[in-house]
Amino acid sequence: MVAPPFEIRPRRHPRESNAVTSPASLQKTNLPLGAAQMVAAAFFFALMATGVQMASEQLPSPVVVFFRNSLGLLFIAPFALRAGWAGLRTQRLGEHLLRTASGLASMYCYFTAIKHLRLADAVLLQYTMPLFVPLVEGAWLREPIPKRVWAPIGIGFLGAMLVLKPGLGLFNVGALYGLGAGLLSAVAQTGVRRMTSTEPAARIIFYFSLVATAASAVPASLVWSTPGPTDIVVLVMIGATATVAQMLMTRAYSCAPASEVGAFTYANVPFAILCDWVRLGRLPDAGSVAGAILICTAGVVMLRRRRPPNPE
């Protein structure tokens, strides 16, 4: 296996390190603020997913992806440029590109899953992301997978099977895209958590939106369909809610360790169920509810078990 050009493993957060740090370099943990920001991010991500579901009824997924990125760029540009061009200088361009590539691929998979599955099911499959993180690190970085994480991984994927309902067609296109979104999101979120040690939220999102807009323009042009007035309103909503959610999520990771604040990302699941019920009057069946409980429980346990040990 060829080693990656740079390590994608999350850098140990200053609050998670056993090393002694100076008062100037030590950042205070603010879990309540981080949790509130993550829950708010989950709410806006659920609204974004609802907008994607609505837009996908009229437009091809590549077109929706392009507008989501291009409008997101318009929303984030004023914040990113507020400090001038000097504020966009980075020594971590390679990591920005990796985060963008994996994040954009995850977005294509996620939007396609939303188009083919119920909203809550698509969100749940995308939120298998924490289950894939140790597998990605083991396959790519050749790191041993801790024995203590195998149980939650198994529980989480059992939950995914309940959501997918094997007897009713496990390997449908929506299911595969949903799981693919979770896998690729594991790489993207690892990059976000690592970069927050030196990169402000606006810079991370600006580089993602800039590169993703340029990259997604090509496939969108191949299947182009001009959106109508109603579609434009929905697309603007997607771009706005996605940008706000990314800002909140990135700031949440800078407030507290991922092992503590990451669990609150699962607030997206009940928000998605609520949006599906309000818009279409649909509620998940018993299998999906059981799967949701297993996936969310496994994800939270994974985050806690991957936390570095306390200093002795």
Side-chain angles (χ1 to χ4, degrees):
M1 181 184 297
V2 178
F6 48 86
E7 185 177 342
I8 65 168
R9 178 175 47 187
R11 178 178 295 175
R12 298 184 72 180
H13 197 284
R15 295 179 293 275
E16 294 179 325
S17 174
N18 292 339
V20 177
T21 56
S22 66
S25 62
L26 184 62
Q27 299 176 337
K28 293 182 179 179
T29 298
N30 192 338
L31 181 58
L33 178 60
Q37 290 176 326
M38 191 64 82
V39 171
F43 173 72
F44 282 103
F45 274 130
L47 290 181
M48 182 209 73
T50 301
V52 170
Q53 186 183 60
M54 296 170 62
S56 297
E57 294 172 356
Q58 305 295 329
L59 301 170
S61 292
V63 175
V64 179
V65 171
F66 169 72
F67 275 102
R68 178 258 178 268
N69 289 315
S70 58
L71 292 173
L73 178 60
L74 291 178
F75 283 116
I76 193 61
F79 297 97
L81 297 174
R82 187 166 49 187
W85 290 107
L88 297 178
R89 291 176 182 172
T90 180
Q91 301 298 319
R92 309 176 77 166
L93 182 59
E95 289 172 273
H96 279 288
L97 292 176
L98 175 62
R99 179 265 188 276
T100 299
S102 55
L104 182 59
S106 176
M107 187 184 299
Y108 276 112
C109 289
Y110 184 40
F111 284 19
T112 303
I114 289 175
K115 187 173 184 176
H116 289 87
L117 300 174
R118 291 186 303 184
L119 185 63
D121 290 349
V123 169
L124 278 170
L125 292 175
Q126 199 267 347
Y127 270 74
T128 58
M129 177 267 292
L131 310 178
F132 283 110
V133 170
L135 303 180
V136 169
E137 292 179 345
W140 193 349
L141 304 178
R142 295 183 178 180
E143 292 185 349
I145 301 176
K147 293 182 179 179
R148 63 182 181 276
V149 305
W150 281 112
I153 287 176
I155 292 173
F157 283 117
L158 174 60
M161 294 303 102
L162 291 175
V163 173
L164 297 173
K165 300 172 182 60
L168 300 179
L170 171 60
F171 297 110
N172 63 73
V173 63
L176 294 178
Y177 275 112
L179 290 176
L183 172 60
L184 292 163
S185 183
V187 180
Q189 294 306 317
T190 296
V192 170
R193 289 198 297 268
R194 171 174 174 152
M195 287 191 294
T196 54
S197 61
T198 62
E199 305 289 273
R203 185 188 300 164
I204 294 174
I205 302 172
F206 176 79
Y207 276 109
F208 172 82
S209 299
L210 180 64
V211 178
T213 297
S216 61
V218 177
S221 66
L222 299 178
V223 293
W224 184 258
S225 177
T226 302
T230 302
D231 298 326
I232 292 176
V233 173
V234 175
L235 291 169
V236 170
M237 183 194 79
I238 292 172
T241 54
T243 301
V244 172
Q246 281 190 314
M247 289 287 291
L248 289 167
M249 180 191 70
T250 305
R251 289 175 176 173
Y253 279 128
S254 68
C255 288
S259 58
E260 297 178 7
V261 77
F264 294 93
T265 61
Y266 286 98
N268 196 350
V269 176
F271 285 139
I273 293 174
L274 178 62
C275 289
D276 223 11
W277 176 70
V278 170
R279 179 171 178 260
L280 300 174
R282 297 188 304 191
L283 289 173
D285 56 29
S288 292
V289 171
I293 293 173
L294 291 179
I295 291 173
C296 295
T297 300
V300 172
V301 172
M302 283 287 297
L303 289 167
R304 303 297 295 179
R305 290 191 175 184
R306 289 175 59 80
R307 179 175 57 184
N310 293 324
E312 297 179 353

